[in-house]
Amino acid sequence: MLCCRATASLPPSPPTPSHAADPHARLRAAAARSDLPAALAAFAAMPSAPAPARPVLRTFTALLKLCAARADLATGRAVHAQLAARGLASESLAATALANMYAKCRRPADARRVFDRMTARDRVAWNALVAGYARNGLAEAAMEMLVRMQEEDGERPDSVTLVSVLPACATARALRACRQVHAFALRAGLDELVNVSTAILDVYCKCGAVEAARAVFDWMPAKNSVSWNAMIDGYAQSGNATEALALFKRMVREGVDVTDATILPALQACGELGHLDEARHVHELLVRIGLNSNVSVMNALITTYSKCKRTDLAAQVFNELGNKKTRISWNAMILGFSQNGCSEDAVGLFSAMQLENVKPDSFTLVSVIPAVAEISDPLQARWIHGCSIKHHLDQDVYVLTALIDMYSKCGRVTIARRLFDSARQRHVITWNAMIHGYGSHGFGKVAVELFEEMKGTGSLPNETTFLSVLAACSHAGLVDQGRRYFASMKEDYGLEPGMEHYGTMVDLLGRAGKLDEAWSFMKDMPIQPGISVYGAMLGACKLHKNVELAEESAQKIFELGPEEGVYHVLLANIYANASKWKDVARVRTAMEKKGLQKTPGWSIIQLKNEVHTFYSGSTNHQQAKEIYARLTKLIEEIKAVGYVPDTDSIHDVEDDVKAQLLNTHSEKLAIAYGLIRTAPGTTIQIKKNLRVCNDCHNATKLISLVTGREIIMRDIQRFHHFKDGKCSCGDYW
């Protein structure tokens, strides 16, 4: 019987005033407000009410519904005990409520036990269990129950059943099952219900059948905003940003209510397409409908503006969030800076995040570490590494991989290898980072050995792995290995080479002087060669002074309409080396007409958190006088050990002027400054935005010899480690 003793197993409830209303009425009112504590108080007051009230079955089901909504398993179990004590637990209404409660408390096995004890089951009970399995990610079990309800009890699924089971199809990516549910809905006439059709098109989208989803969408006699949102999001998630944006604009034109679920995929589509104007229109719309107070929407807007290469607008949105910023807001802005080449801003924002006591997560570090890698400062690299250790993220496979890549790009490949060896888990991206690191430093044989070790562990290489190992072979002149790996890519692993793989193979063959083979390889490509492939060929033609193939390669490049003038400059230099001055003038004129400019070369050196940038012949540095004095002395010192200026890259001026121009190249100025500002024996590290020229390469080798310094130079293609008069590239770059 129900009394104070019977309620002892329920959580204690607040005392109730003596003049309280009927407990049943109070419980119904509390249930309507979703107020579980008040409902429990009403339940506890039933025995002591002026007219003692007995709980009825619906009293318990109301309590179970509230427990389910709050995922309050402990109270739900107590209610279950009360039902069992009265022999009501197997009653259809009670058992259904219990199954629903256990499912929503993430206890599907308990829900199934309650269901199996039921003496009679109706459609509502079956629906509760189907929904419970689906909600807990047990797609196969949900589908099994859908079949059993028809075979065992002859219950026909209704719209609730279908809307419950369809998410399970999406979770399992069960396209066939979705089609079966769709067919049943058509036969039963349930497809005309907007919630059923919306659920079907949503599952089709999540199973990758976007065209089928669109057919459902177009057929629907009535659509609500959820239907539109599901279709727009389906296009966005499948990579069809153009259709997503077009459908969003149509939705707005037709006056359908726009919600945050509409805006988020629309912003994603704008970002993927890089459509700044469309992004601004979406921004204006979300402000009009009051979604600018929604932090998730504003975070998405930060990402969208960043992808549209407008970090200034992204930063404005970020700053307007004020104290509503979440960690996701910080992450989005840091990533935006990092991906747009604003490395200093990314690192600065990460520092500000630390000062605001916002705890970084793995995504934060994976966003900021590439910015540190781009700055290429070993001191900052150690700092960010320390942050990862402090927050116990250094063994996260993605953070660790980013750290390996960062140390490699900061010229510390030995530290990168130590981290690689310490990894508890090695993902394919971890192997890729280390192989690429060795390749970019000219250690091609070590990169190949590591690749073979990777294969020996059973790890499967992907397209990026092969790109890294082919590049390593190219930098080290390992032609035969490169050929074998390129063939193995498809023959042994079923991986289709992409444009970058073909370009790297052309580069490999071209560097080795096998220009005819490279040209034939390029002509036999199953895909139309792109700018990168012809560009690799053009670079090889310059290296080996082949004017004829250079002209053919350049013509193909110009037909493809490059946005930069680097290929025109390269062709002009090839003509100049061959003394074809009319052709040089023709190429330069073509550049002027197209508005293309030569990229100015610069070199940077970072000392004590200060970045010093040098351009060829620049005299604006505050220590310019001392730099040029040290450089003059340096040139004399290396001439004494055999330095002869290589003037082949400079034309149209006298020989003495050529030598003077060479002596003031940006990398030489940066090295001279490093010698002035650092103690003897200190390693000097500089970064250059272009390929280091032959003369500077030769001079730097001799500078390392006469000064006893190790000099690490990172140019646009690779690292050069100069020490004792030699370079790690073996003069093959």
Side-chain angles (χ1 to χ4, degrees):
M1 59 182 289
L2 185 62
C3 60
C4 291
R5 183 181 67 251
T7 61
S9 61
L10 289 172
S13 305
T16 56
S18 59
H19 59 276
D22 170 33
H24 283 295
R26 287 174 52 211
L27 194 146
R28 286 195 298 272
R33 301 193 306 272
S34 299
D35 188 343
L36 180 58
L40 291 172
F43 179 77
M46 286 182 179
S48 58
R54 291 178 58 84
V56 295
L57 188 57
R58 290 193 178 276
T59 306
F60 294 105
T61 57
L63 289 173
L64 287 170
K65 184 177 180 181
L66 290 172
C67 292
R70 294 167 63 102
D72 188 338
L73 180 62
T75 304
R77 286 192 186 281
V79 175
H80 189 175
Q82 295 292 330
L83 284 165
R86 287 159 181 77
L88 299 174
S90 60
E91 289 286 336
S92 179
L93 189 63
T96 300
L98 282 168
N100 179 60
M101 181 274 295
Y102 280 124
K104 288 185 177 177
C105 290
R106 307 194 70 78
R107 304 291 295 218
D110 290 339
R112 179 60 180 268
R113 278 191 287 271
V114 170
F115 179 83
D116 287 342
R117 292 181 186 134
M118 293 176 68
T119 55
R121 307 182 186 98
D122 59 11
R123 185 185 295 144
V124 177
W126 283 98
N127 287 351
L129 194 61
V130 169
Y133 278 137
R135 187 179 294 111
N136 284 278
L138 301 173
E140 291 183 6
M143 294 300 298
E144 176 196 344
M145 298 308 290
L146 179 66
V147 174
R148 282 186 57 189
M149 74 181 289
Q150 299 174 77
E151 293 178 348
E152 294 183 10
D153 287 1
E155 289 285 355
R156 283 178 61 82
D158 60 7
S159 63
V160 176
T161 321
L162 300 190
V163 172
S164 297
V165 80
L166 281 165
C169 298
T171 301
R173 298 293 186 268
L175 180 59
R176 183 180 176 186
C178 175
R179 286 178 174 144
Q180 291 173 343
V181 174
H182 188 190
F184 176 85
L186 288 167
R187 291 194 301 271
L190 296 174
D191 59 314
E192 295 184 5
L193 299 174
V194 67
N195 61 333
V196 173
S197 291
T198 298
I200 290 170
L201 79 85
D202 184 55
V203 177
Y204 274 137
C205 287
K206 288 173 179 172
C207 290
V210 183
E211 290 183 3
R214 183 58 186 263
V216 173
F217 179 83
D218 289 339
W219 178 89
M220 289 173 68
K223 307 178 185 74
N224 58 21
S225 61
V226 180
S227 315
W228 287 87
N229 294 346
M231 195 67 246
I232 293 168
D233 188 59
Y235 277 129
Q237 299 307 323
S238 69
N240 194 340
T242 301
E243 280 298 326
L245 193 56
L247 196 60
F248 166 75
K249 291 163 75 173
R250 179 182 150 194
M251 177 182 180
V252 173
R253 285 196 305 271
E254 294 189 14
V256 183
D257 288 340
V258 172
T259 66
D260 57 341
T262 321
I263 292 293
L264 291 171
L267 286 172
Q268 180 183 339
C270 292
E272 294 302 322
L273 295 169
H275 285 184
L276 177 61
D277 289 342
E278 296 292 353
R280 281 179 157 167
H281 290 152
V282 177
H283 188 178
E284 291 169 1
L285 173 62
L286 69 88
V287 170
R288 282 202 306 273
I289 60 179
L291 286 175
N292 54 322
S293 60
N294 184 312
V295 178
S296 296
V297 169
M298 301 314 280
N299 290 342
L301 186 59
I302 292 169
T303 298
T304 299
Y305 277 139
S306 296
K307 287 184 176 180
C308 292
K309 304 187 184 303
R310 288 299 301 271
T311 53
D312 56 329
L313 296 177
Q316 183 178 332
V317 174
F318 176 80
N319 292 330
E320 287 173 356
L321 281 172
N323 58 10
K324 292 191 293 183
K325 297 185 189 79
T326 63
R327 181 164 56 197
I328 295 172
S329 313
W330 289 91
N331 289 351
M333 195 65 251
I334 290 170
L335 182 63
F337 280 138
S338 186
Q339 291 183 334
N340 282 280
C342 306
S343 302
E344 296 284 354
D345 292 321
V347 174
L349 191 61
F350 176 76
S351 298
M353 181 182 182
Q354 300 283 87
L355 293 174
E356 293 282 340
N357 293 319
V358 180
K359 187 178 180 180
D361 59 9
S362 59
F363 189 90
T364 318
L365 290 174
V366 170
S367 299
V368 74
I369 288 172
V372 177
E374 183 61 27
I375 295 170
S376 202
D377 178 19
L379 289 175
Q380 286 196 346
R382 285 197 287 272
W383 166 68
I384 203 72
H385 186 186
C387 288
S388 72
I389 295 171
K390 174 184 175 183
H391 294 288
H392 307 290
L393 295 169
D394 55 309
Q395 279 298 322
D396 176 277
V397 66
Y398 298 103
V399 173
L400 182 65
T401 299
L403 288 169
I404 291 168
D405 182 64
M406 174 194 70
Y407 274 120
S408 295
K409 289 177 178 175
C410 289
R412 301 299 187 265
V413 71
T414 304
I415 300 176
R417 182 55 191 260
R418 283 205 296 268
L419 285 178
F420 177 82
D421 291 339
S422 74
R424 297 173 195 153
Q425 176 189 4
R426 290 177 187 166
H427 191 278
V428 62
I429 61 172
T430 315
W431 290 95
N432 293 351
M434 196 66 250
I435 291 169
H436 177 76
Y438 277 131
S440 66
H441 282 266
F443 306 128
K445 291 182 180 178
V446 184
V448 167
E449 289 171 3
L450 190 63
F451 178 57
E452 292 298 332
E453 181 185 334
M454 175 188 182
K455 293 194 293 182
T457 65
S459 296
L460 289 176
N462 60 15
E463 292 88 347
T464 304
T465 318
F466 277 100
L467 186 61
S468 297
V469 78
L470 287 173
C473 290
S474 178
H475 287 309
L478 305 176
V479 178
D480 291 338
Q481 290 97 321
R483 287 196 192 100
R484 286 200 303 271
Y485 289 140
F486 184 82
S488 171
M489 185 177 176
K490 189 169 184 178
E491 292 173 4
D492 299 330
Y493 296 96
L495 299 173
E496 198 67 41
M499 191 69 73
E500 289 184 296
H501 298 93
Y502 285 107
T504 305
M505 276 302 295
V506 170
D507 185 63
L508 168 69
L509 297 169
R511 283 175 188 269
K514 301 180 182 296
L515 296 183
D516 290 336
E517 183 181 347
W519 188 260
S520 297
F521 175 87
M522 193 168 62
K523 290 300 182 184
D524 292 338
M525 283 173 56
I527 56 177
Q528 188 67 30
I531 289 178
S532 61
V533 179
Y534 286 117
M537 190 71 206
L538 186 61
C541 290
K542 180 180 184 297
L543 188 63
H544 298 287
K545 299 179 171 58
N546 189 316
V547 177
E548 182 181 349
L549 287 180
E551 288 178 324
E552 291 192 52
S553 301
Q555 183 57 40
K556 293 291 186 181
I557 291 172
F558 300 154
E559 288 173 4
L560 294 171
E563 296 179 358
E564 299 174 346
V566 60
Y567 301 109
H568 289 79
V569 173
L570 198 53
L571 181 60
N573 288 340
I574 292 170
Y575 281 139
N577 287 334
S579 300
K580 294 193 169 189
W581 305 112
K582 289 184 179 179
D583 291 318
V584 171
R586 176 174 54 80
V587 173
R588 289 177 177 171
T589 301
M591 281 185 69
E592 291 175 6
K593 287 182 178 179
K594 294 178 181 179
L596 300 174
Q597 294 182 340
K598 178 180 178 180
T599 303
W602 51 255
S603 297
I604 62 172
I605 182 170
Q606 185 160 342
L607 300 171
K608 296 181 178 179
N609 292 325
E610 290 185 356
V611 177
H612 301 266
T613 304
F614 296 91
Y615 293 88
S616 293
S618 61
T619 58
N620 58 349
H621 194 278
Q622 59 184 3
Q623 290 184 260
K625 187 175 181 180
E626 296 96 316
I627 292 169
Y628 276 94
R630 184 67 182 95
L631 187 56
T632 299
K633 183 181 178 184
L634 204 55
I635 298 299
E636 292 174 359
E637 290 172 355
I638 62 176
K639 279 183 177 179
V641 292
Y643 169 67
V644 177
D646 182 348
T647 58
D648 284 350
S649 61
I650 299 180
H651 313 284
D652 300 340
V653 293
E654 299 298 326
D655 287 346
D656 59 334
V657 178
K658 288 181 180 181
Q660 185 178 351
L661 291 173
L662 287 172
N663 291 346
T664 58
H665 272 190
S666 63
E667 46 266 69
K668 291 191 182 80
L669 294 173
I671 291 170
Y673 182 64
L675 290 170
I676 292 171
R677 288 288 308 277
T678 59
T682 306
T683 298
I684 294 173
Q685 184 163 335
I686 67 171
K687 179 181 174 183
K688 182 174 174 61
N689 70 323
L690 303 176
R691 180 182 183 272
V692 61
C693 72
N694 290 337
D695 179 76
C696 287
H697 191 270
N698 293 334
T700 306
K701 285 194 298 181
L702 295 175
I703 292 170
S704 73
L705 177 66
V706 300
T707 62
R709 301 286 196 105
E710 180 178 0
I711 301 170
I712 301 174
M713 184 186 297
R714 176 184 175 184
D715 71 9
I716 195 171
Q717 293 182 327
R718 58 175 298 156
F719 277 87
H720 298 264
H721 293 253
F722 299 95
K723 189 175 182 180
D724 300 328
K726 297 178 182 178
C727 179
S728 60
C729 73
D731 297 337
Y732 189 89
W733 85 104

